């Protein structure tokens, strides 16, 4: 391991950073980008590096993959503001039902209103496997 652990002020997310001095300037670089550059030689500017296991501190070559921002977002953990406890499910007070939904390719897909949170969870997990494939994360 090289560098230091860095905590983002906005997201509370920790990553590894490496400071590189070039002339009089110091560049603060993400360690996963350096690992990718050492492995592949370049990073397509239209793509992002995703941590397959969702751990931004794990910069092993086998854990890094290059894909679009949309696909990378599919691998996110459940939002800390989620009150249902299930990723992709929220309570609709007007209909008094649990709503299941997900995003795919920038489009929100509503998966219906359900009487129980278990039903909504089952539907959203199945849809995530279908639409997100290996990038899908349930928790």
């Amino acid at each position: 391991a090289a560098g230091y652990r860095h905590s983002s002020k906005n997201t509370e997310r920790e990553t590894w950073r490496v400071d590189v001095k070039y002339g009089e300037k110091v560049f603060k670089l993400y360690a996963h980008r350096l690992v990718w550059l050492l492995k592949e030689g370049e990073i397509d500017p239209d793509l992002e590096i995703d941590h397959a296991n969702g751990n931004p501190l794990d910069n092993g070559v086998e854990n890094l993959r290059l894909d679009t921002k949309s696909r990378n977002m599919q691998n996110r953990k459940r939002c800390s503001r989620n009150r249902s406890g299930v990723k992709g499910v929220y309570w609709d007070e007007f209909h008094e039902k649990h709503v299941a939904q997900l995003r795919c390719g920038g489009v929100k897909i509503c998966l219906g209103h359900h009487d129980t949170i278990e039903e909504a969870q089952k539907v959203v997990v199945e849809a995530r496997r279908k639409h997100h494939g290996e990038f899908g994360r349930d928790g």
Side-chain angles (χ1 to χ4, degrees), residues 1-6 14-18 29-31 56-57 59:
Y4 57 94
R5 286 170 88 134
H6 170 76
E14 280 194 317
T15 58
W16 279 104
R17 285 258 183 102
V18 176
L29 306 172
Y30 289 111
L57 296 174
N59 293 312

Side-chain angles (χ1 to χ4, degrees), residues 51-135:
H51 292 81
N53 68 4
N55 180 359
L57 296 174
D58 181 355
N59 293 312
V61 173
E62 67 285 344
N63 187 43
L64 302 178
R65 57 189 176 188
L66 202 60
D67 215 317
T68 64
K69 180 175 180 122
S70 176
R71 296 279 292 183
N72 192 0
M73 296 295 282
Q74 293 171 2
N75 194 27
R76 290 178 67 182
K77 294 178 182 173
R78 178 175 47 90
C79 178
S80 62
R81 295 179 311 217
N82 177 305
R83 293 187 300 184
S84 74
V86 178
K87 184 178 175 183
V89 175
Y90 70 91
W91 176 251
D92 179 349
E93 288 198 29
F94 181 78
H95 293 100
E96 296 186 342
K97 302 266 185 179
H98 297 275
V99 179
Q101 67 180 18
L102 60 80
R103 286 191 174 273
C104 188
V107 176
K108 183 167 50 172
I109 302 171
C110 184
L111 303 167
H113 291 70
H114 305 274
D115 292 325
T116 69
I117 197 164
E118 292 81 14
E119 289 173 23
Q121 181 176 21
K122 181 180 178 202
V123 169
V124 79
V125 167
E126 287 173 5
R128 194 173 292 121
R129 289 205 173 95
K130 176 183 174 186
H131 294 286
H132 295 175
E134 68 179 293
F135 283 80

Side-chain angles (χ1 to χ4, degrees), residues 22-35:
Y22 184 75
E24 295 299 313
K25 291 191 106 175
V26 175
F27 297 90
K28 297 178 182 302
L29 306 172
Y30 289 111
H32 63 272
R33 295 181 65 81
L34 289 175
V35 170

